[in-house]
Amino acid sequence: MIYAVAILAPLAGALVSGLSGRVIGDRAAQAVSIFVMVLAAVCGSIAFFSLANSDMEPAFVSLGSWVDVGTFHADWDLRYDTLSAAMVAMVTFVSTLIHIYSVGYMGHDKYPKYRFFAYLNLFTFAMLMLVTADNLLQLFFGWEGVGLASYLLIGYWYDRPAACAAAIKAFLVNRIADVFFAVGIALTFVKFGTIEFNSIFAAVPQHVADTYAIFGGSYPALEVIAFLLFIGAMGKSAQIGLHVWLPDAMEGPTPVSALIHAATMVTAGVFLMARMSPVMEFAPTALAFVTFIGATTALFAATVGCVQNDIKRVIAYSTCSQLGYMFAAAGVGAYQVSMYHLITHAFFKALLFLGAGSVIHAMSDEQDMRRMGGLAKYAPWTCALMWIGNLALAGIPPLAGSWSKDAIISATYAAGSGVGTYAFFCTVAAAFLTAFYSWRLLFMTFHGRSNADPHALEHAHESPFVMVGPLLVLAVGAIFAGWLLNNWFIGEGSAEFWRGSIYNLPGKDILARLEQVPTLVEYLPLGMAIAGIALAYLFYIANPRLPVRLADSYAGIYRFLLNKWYFDELYNAILVRPAMRLAAFLWHTGDARLIDGMPNGLAALAAGSSRETVKLQTGSIAVYAFTMLIGVVALVSVFLVFR
Amino acid sequence: MNWTTAIPEIFLSVAGLAILVFGVLRGRYSGPGNALVCSMLVLASFAVAAILIIGGNHGIGYNGQFTTDAFSSYAKLLILAGAALGLVLSLDYNRLEGLARFEFPVLVLLSTVGMMVMVSASSMMTLYLGLELQSLSLYVLAAFARDTLRSSEAGLKFFVLGALASGLLLYGISLVYGFSGTMDFNVLARSFADPAGVAPGLIVGVVFIVAGLAFKISAVPFHMWTPDVYEGAPTPVTGFFSTAPKVAAICLIVRLMGTPFGHLLASWQQLIVLVSIASMVLGSLAAIGQTNIKRLMAYSSIGHMGYALIGLAVGTAEGVRGVLIYMVTYVFMNAGTFACLIAMRRRGIALDKISDLSGLGRTDPMLAGWMTVFMFSMAGIPPMSGFFGKLYVFLAAVQAGMWTLAVIGVLTSVIGAYYYLRIIKVMYFDEGGEAFDRRPMSLSVVAAAAGLFTLFFFVFPAPFVGAAQAAARVLFG
């Protein structure tokens, strides 16, 4: 019951503030939104801790029937197991903090604010539906719901063309992935005859040998399903190839970036992997692919993050990279580890984004780090909190990131497979780059010589408490979450904690092997992080001219990274521009010329004929009589010829 | 000799002469009052004639010269209705234009007698007699505003071209007579029982007769007089022209094609199809470019005759039923439209430009509302009566497999809809001029009566469809 309140309260908030916000006003709408979120967070936390501290079996909260056609059934059910409850607790908690933060951040916004809070509520509800879904259709409902809310919030400042373009891009890229996801759901129904998780999971062993014919070949059905679901996850979680929307999504307000594009929505793909682990475990090829993509994304995004100048884009690529870590872990079968990192990452990444928001707020909406610097004395709280967030991100013990990220790196090593080794090297390299770009961000923003516009500096100020307060709470999480959750998520208590909500193939027990990795592997990430920090110090504090010289001497590599590996240009060249050309062709030739042309041409023909016919009417009686006689002659001829 | 078949015509002729004498005797009081009294008397005689027609017996009289049957009764009642509406429309117009002379109603009456004789004709001689009686009266009516140049021009053009058409008709009749030796419709019908043995010269005669009659219904290519005469004649006369005489002429063609030339269907069908298509196409195309609403109505009536001819071209009872239903809907929506046009008058000056209607939706919502009903009906938009008129003829064409006619009919309806809807657009969406003068009661009554008929025809089509069915069976059994 409490569980249902946690999930439905945001819906009520969205309806109240969204539909009647104009009537009750901004303040009341904000109060309603925050109240329902606090309620949801309290209920969600109670539900999670009561589940974690008891030995209850996974349960369901049934909300009613949804689709019941032939053999196809889908109900509105809330799944109440550890995986869902942990996500609910995290989502409601982070979302509540971000709601509160938004009151300060959006305080000077020129639009009515009830719309923003209604969207945030709506997003939270959709995310909760996603994580508590008991069948694939309901999960897809939440999946699309968060996509919609993401679209609405990225394009929140609808009078900015860049924001609208980013919203459309996010929507389209996600649709591409969703097509695969939807096909995966359909294929699941075809193969299993059901989309209920329990029924699917129970039937998986019977379907291991099933094959599915596609693209002229016959493949194991479970592999195909796993691939399709993972491609869906790639879109939502911005993995390489389908990641292009995430950096652009930073056009949205910063709280949105923190909530949707760092802490919650983008992790839906990781959650999906964990949720579908009973199926994924039987698809080794797909899992290898997951690891490969995850590891590649982790490294790729980290390289790009090193040269970006927009503070939010750096953090966006960092998010992309950390999601890659999670997939790499999921791919080697360590779903628990990826969920662990998901939760800790939610704390410190939300902290970083909100801190960046605080900086932007302080600097009168300046986002370019090249025009910052030395802000530590203007915004000491923000600076300290950003340090905590980056320490956690870089994996400096004992902060949260060190626990979960080191576990991922160990897991890839422990996997022992070829792709695992690839992932190990990628993630270790990425750990180095992560530390580098994190401290590059810190140094460029808070330390060193100030390059800021003096005019903006005059107004630079620490953010109000309503913004710093949530940061403090998140900082506590970023410091302690790893230590607190370690035992539950991946430690000795993990089997009892998860209670079967995540499935591992018998004999694969990767969690047990985490402890057995060589000491060198355990300390490698830390060494990498310290090296990265040192390099950042060298580049941006000790010798600020060095990066410029480096960029000049390796201009090709620098431009390659600065332009994000030219993914956008590539997509523009092979997809967007041909599609636009085709559309333009269909528009100009197909629609304007053919479809419009026919009626227009006929109309012009009618009008032209009309002019000509009217000319016949000369008014001369002789012409009239002549016409009549011609008519008679014509008719007689016709008559005699065709008689 | 069964002379009773012609009692309504005889009564009307006598009444016409009596009213004429009455008007002349009251000549010293000549003026609007006199004309009004004579008009009322004519309307009364129309009513009596209608009763006589309904109560009269059917049969052939005057040695096969004259016939009354369900078809002729149907046509005559419709003619009387059209003539009465036209006369009512003229009452106040003539008074305001200084045309209120007692000869006007008498001429209407005499032409009506001519029309009634036409639809009852059972011999070429009767046909010609009725036709000329009608035509001569109409020539005078067209030039009734004899002081205005355009009315005189209209009368003259109508007369000259009408004389030419009469010549064609007479030539055709003489050819038919020459090849068959008879003018009696029934005898002719029997002699054509075997179409193979029909001489080409006789066929040419039929073409000439059709040409002469096509002039009367202003079908293409014998339509040239219509726009000029419609524009020049006084507006109520134009309204009268476009209703009753059209009914008479089209019924006459139907009878002629049905009875004496019925067996030659294969020969004349192509001819009617051509004329029908040409009328529909020209009627819809040429109307687009018009700025004068009376000229527009002229092309509109050309187009409508084209649609009506579809029913004849089909050559079945269903087709003729379609023609007869079409004519009923046409007479009423046309009379209503002209009631609205006659109401177009500002500071005593009659107007006839389409642009003069702009803003009518605000200055006179009632009149604009009726006009909208009539325009929708003309365009054939359900549930107005005009839709059912088109429906029945198109239905007959489709049933007979004449898809070309039906398709062209629908296409030209689409083009036609453009200029009918344009009038509605002008009334409601264009910047308005000042309001029209207060319109006389008579126009409101006619507009409302015709409007209600047009609007609610779909509620009670059964009596009309039934009567048209019975009438059609007489000719195409």
Side-chain angles (χ1 to χ4, degrees), chain B residues 72-241:
Chain B
S72 71
S73 302
Y74 184 99
K76 284 177 194 171
L77 288 175
L78 191 53
I79 289 166
L80 285 175
L85 287 171
L87 193 56
V88 173
L89 289 182
S90 69
L91 290 177
D92 289 288
Y93 180 90
N94 285 358
R95 180 170 53 80
L96 293 169
E97 293 287 307
L99 299 175
R101 293 190 288 272
F102 71 92
E103 291 91 343
F104 189 91
V106 175
L107 283 168
V108 170
L109 184 142
L110 290 177
S111 70
T112 306
V113 174
M115 294 173 213
M116 288 166 68
V117 173
M118 280 161 70
V119 296
S120 269
S122 184
S123 140
M124 295 293 181
M125 207 51 107
T126 331
L127 180 158
Y128 190 70
L129 181 72
L131 194 68
E132 283 307 297
L133 178 55
Q134 178 225 228
S135 298
L136 285 171
S137 313
L138 294 184
Y139 300 148
V140 181
L141 281 177
F144 201 75
R146 61 189 179 206
D147 296 332
T148 65
L149 195 61
R150 293 169 83 191
S151 180
S152 314
E153 179 194 338
L156 185 66
K157 275 184 180 167
F158 194 21
F159 176 68
V160 172
L161 295 174
L164 178 63
S166 278
L168 293 175
L169 181 69
L170 274 179
Y171 187 53
I173 290 174
S174 68
L175 276 174
V176 169
Y177 179 72
F179 279 94
S180 64
T182 179
M183 285 203 259
D184 188 294
F185 286 179
N186 292 312
V187 180
L188 277 171
R190 278 196 293 280
S191 69
F192 295 144
D194 175 21
V198 173
L202 193 138
I203 301 293
V204 173
V206 173
V207 177
F208 273 85
I209 292 174
V210 169
L213 293 178
F215 175 86
K216 298 295 174 195
I217 60 167
S218 53
V220 178
F222 310 102
H223 66 285
M224 301 296 273
W225 61 277
T226 322
D228 292 7
V229 172
Y230 272 42
E231 188 188 0
T235 312
V237 174
T238 310
F240 177 59
F241 277 8

Side-chain angles (χ1 to χ4, degrees), chain A residues 605-607 609-611 613-614 616-621 623-632 635-636 638-640 642-643, chain B residues 157 160-161 164-165 168 198 200 203-204 207-208 211 215 221-222 224 227-228 267-268 271 274 282 285-286 288-290 295 299:
Chain A
L605 186 70
S609 320
S610 169
R611 273 192 298 280
T613 349
V614 170
L616 295 177
Q617 204 72 32
T618 57
S620 156
I621 203 163
V623 172
Y624 293 1
F626 184 66
T627 312
M628 285 171 67
L629 293 177
I630 292 286
V632 171
L635 288 182
V636 168
V638 168
F639 212 26
L640 291 177
F642 293 103
R643 190 161 69 98
Chain B
K157 275 184 180 167
V160 172
L161 295 174
L164 178 63
L168 293 175
V198 173
I203 301 293
V204 173
V207 177
F208 273 85
F215 175 86
F222 310 102
M224 301 296 273
D228 292 7
S267 303
W268 56 256
L271 188 68
L274 280 178
L282 185 122
L285 286 183
I288 294 174
Q290 302 304 325
R295 285 186 87 85
Y299 286 109

Side-chain angles (χ1 to χ4, degrees), chain A residues 466-489:
Chain A
V466 71
M467 289 167 69
V468 177
L471 290 181
L472 286 169
V473 178
L474 286 169
V476 171
I479 295 169
F480 296 110
W483 175 63
L484 286 174
L485 298 176
N486 187 47
N487 187 44
W488 273 352
F489 274 71

Side-chain angles (χ1 to χ4, degrees), chain B residues 286-375:
Chain B
I288 294 174
Q290 302 304 325
T291 54
N292 183 299
I293 195 150
K294 283 161 80 180
R295 285 186 87 85
L296 181 108
M297 291 308 293
Y299 286 109
S300 160
S301 81
I302 292 171
H304 281 296
M305 286 308 118
Y307 295 120
L309 283 179
I310 290 178
L312 176 60
V314 172
T316 60
E318 280 69 39
V320 172
R321 183 188 67 177
V323 177
L324 294 176
I325 295 170
Y326 199 99
M327 293 315 294
V328 172
T329 64
Y330 173 71
V331 163
F332 282 95
M333 67 192 180
N334 213 47
T337 308
F338 273 94
C340 298
L341 300 192
I342 294 167
M344 292 169 61
R345 182 180 282 278
R346 241 179 234 137
R347 297 203 196 91
I349 309 291
L351 306 168
D352 56 5
K353 292 272 178 293
I354 292 173
S355 53
D356 293 327
L357 281 168
S358 54
L360 191 63
R362 277 178 298 280
T363 58
D364 193 345
M366 195 69 189
L367 190 67
W370 288 128
M371 190 69 174
T372 305
V373 169
F374 300 130
M375 289 302 118

Side-chain angles (χ1 to χ4, degrees), chain A residues 14 22 54 108 114 164 191 216-217 235 246 259 266-267 354 359 413 421 426 432 447 487 504 508 530 544 559 580 638:
Chain A
R22 199 184 289 266
S54 70
H108 304 305
Y114 68 88
C164 294
K191 285 293 166 192
L246 185 60
L259 176 62
V266 289
T267 62
L354 295 186
V359 170
Y413 181 83
T421 311
C426 282
F432 170 74
H447 304 287
N487 187 44
N504 295 100
K508 224 170 139 185
I530 292 167
R559 268 205 306 279
M580 294 295 246
V638 168

